[in-house]
């Protein structure tokens, strides 16, 4: 049986760190993780149903609008990604998905308004820094 190469993958391969733009294969995984967090807040059952009346039309509209945060996530994390950090999906589970969850809370609490770029980038920076501080080498770039 012939296997298909895995085009969609978690971030962390050596080639990722040199790419100035978010690799397409990573973008697909990050988009899914972001939307999973946006829709599935474990601390707030029915969270996804509260998002519907926020004026974002169909779910695809919400998905497309949320992707604006993928580039800032990429810009921040590639500065910090140390050699030897795992490419096992931990970043997606511990940073991208929780960021999506926070976006969902923000939309519900602010009548469907997205956070400002400044607010979003501050949260992204905090999540990324906390993630990479778990490694002995710490972040590889200044805060």
């Amino acid at each position: 049986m012939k296997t298909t190469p895995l085009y969609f993958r978690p971030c962390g391969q050596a080639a990722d760190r040199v790419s100035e733009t978010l690799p397409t294969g990573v973008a697909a995984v990050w988009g899914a993780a972001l939307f999973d967090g946006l829709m599935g807040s474990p601390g707030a059952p029915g969270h996804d149903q509260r998002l519907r009346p926020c004026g974002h039309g169909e779910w695809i509209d919400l998905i497309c609008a949320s992707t604006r945060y993928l580039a800032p996530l990429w810009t921040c994390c590639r500065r910090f990604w140390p050699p030897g950090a795992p490419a096992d999906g931990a970043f997606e589970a511990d940073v991208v998905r929780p960021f999506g969850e926070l976006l969902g809370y923000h939309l519900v609490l602010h009548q469907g308004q997205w956070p400002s770029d400044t607010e979003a980038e501050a949260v992204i920076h905090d999540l990324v820094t906390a993630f990479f501080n778990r490694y002995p080498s710490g972040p590889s770039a200044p805060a």
Side-chain angles (χ1 to χ4, degrees), residues 28-123:
V29 173
W30 280 17
L34 187 71
F35 192 67
D36 184 49
L38 190 64
M39 299 308 295
S41 172
H47 179 74
D48 59 333
Q49 295 307 313
R50 288 189 210 109
L51 287 172
R52 186 63 95 155
C54 286
H56 294 287
E58 300 296 323
W59 293 127
I60 192 69
D61 298 326
L62 189 62
I63 292 169
C64 291
S66 69
T67 62
R68 69 183 269 192
Y69 298 103
L70 296 180
L73 267 165
W74 178 251
T75 299
C76 186
C77 91
R78 72 181 286 269
R79 291 189 323 240
F80 287 89
W81 206 285
D88 60 359
F91 185 83
E92 289 76 11
D94 295 344
V95 176
V96 181
R97 188 185 188 289
F99 180 68
E101 192 174 322
L102 292 170
L103 285 176
Y105 284 127
H106 192 281
L107 288 170
V108 169
L109 295 173
H110 295 93
Q111 294 74 45
Q113 296 299 308
W114 294 99
S116 70
D117 291 344
T118 303
E119 289 174 302
E121 288 171 12
V123 171

